[in-house]
Amino acid sequence: GAGVSQSPSNKVTEKGKDVELRCDPISGHTALYWYRQSLGQGLEFLIYFQGNSAPDKSGLPSDRFSAERTGGSVSTLTIQRTQQEDSAVYLCASSFFGNTEAFFGQGTRLTVV
Amino acid sequence: QQQVKQSPQSLIVQKGGISIINCAYENTAFDYFPWYQQFPGKGPALLIAIRPDVSEKKEGRFTISFNKSAKQFSLHIMDSQPGDSATYFCAARVENNNDMRFGAGTRLTVKP
């Protein structure tokens, strides 16, 4: 597709389970971001990938959160031992390196019950 | 520490009116200030952006006003329409830096 694609759109999981969220960035975009949007809150930066450089993980809230980007394209955000406070919309964005406009996917709404 | 403060949290405007959303930042190294528009169930989309070398940028009905000395910038939506009803986020970023900081968002409702 032409835009950033995220899957699944919605995920309901039980507390304590692990979840994986997927992001397919726009083809050719070397920069990829993950953000978290909680109800009524702004966008919280989680992690940033740029090409083959070491990712900027400074926004990850705990060691239960991790992310990978394989082959410089698809990215997976993994949350281990989910907690209710992890419930939020997780947004992925991509951009060309050096280009300041980031294009967002539609997000994955995660609900931990 | 919230680096970008946005207000109001919600805004209701009559059709044809002017919507004004304000943001203030702390980090003087920020040099790129975008506004994003988000409709329910969608990801945010870039609406308009400004760099601090200009005090105003206008695109159609949307205008950003920028006050570098006060470290404030605002979005003005002229002749607001019901289709403008959405959540608006201001953001700030240091060029070539990974971390774009977002405001908390403003939910705009334009009544017909």
Side-chain angles (χ1 to χ4, degrees), chain B residues 19 22 25-26 30 51 55 71 89 106:
Chain B
S19 303
N22 301 299
Y25 62 97
E26 300 170 358
F30 288 142
R51 287 189 166 83
S55 60
K71 294 186 289 185
F89 293 96
T106 297

Side-chain angles (χ1 to χ4, degrees), chain A residues 37-69:
Chain A
Q37 183 176 21
S38 302
L39 186 63
Q41 300 297 312
L43 300 173
E44 176 187 7
F45 167 79
L46 296 178
I47 188 170
Y48 167 83
F49 295 90
Q50 172 52 47
N52 295 321
S53 301
D56 178 351
K57 304 179 181 179
S58 60
L60 294 179
S62 78
D63 59 8
R64 296 187 295 106
F65 288 71
S66 63
E68 291 185 342
R69 189 178 185 192

Side-chain angles (χ1 to χ4, degrees), chain B residues 14-111:
Chain B
Q14 290 295 128
K15 179 182 176 181
I18 302 174
S19 303
I20 302 174
I21 304 171
N22 301 299
C23 282
Y25 62 97
E26 300 170 358
N27 187 348
T28 55
F30 288 142
D31 59 3
Y32 175 70
F33 302 90
W35 285 89
Y36 280 81
Q37 180 187 54
Q38 184 181 31
F39 293 105
K42 304 290 186 181
L46 180 66
L47 183 64
I48 186 173
I50 196 169
R51 287 189 166 83
D53 52 343
V54 296
S55 60
E56 184 176 282
K57 182 174 181 179
K58 182 176 181 179
E59 291 183 0
R61 296 184 294 108
F62 300 90
T63 300
I64 300 179
S65 297
F66 186 82
N67 186 329
K68 187 174 181 178
S69 61
K71 294 186 289 185
Q72 296 176 345
F73 59 109
S74 61
L75 176 69
H76 296 234
I77 305 174
M78 311 299 287
D79 187 26
S80 298
Q81 299 296 312
D84 297 331
S85 297
T87 299
Y88 292 81
F89 293 96
C90 63
R93 174 177 169 173
V94 177
E95 193 167 20
N96 296 323
N97 186 288
N98 306 335
D99 184 0
M100 186 176 295
R101 297 284 177 166
F102 284 83
T106 297
R107 178 170 292 185
L108 172 66
T109 302
V110 181
K111 293 199 168 184

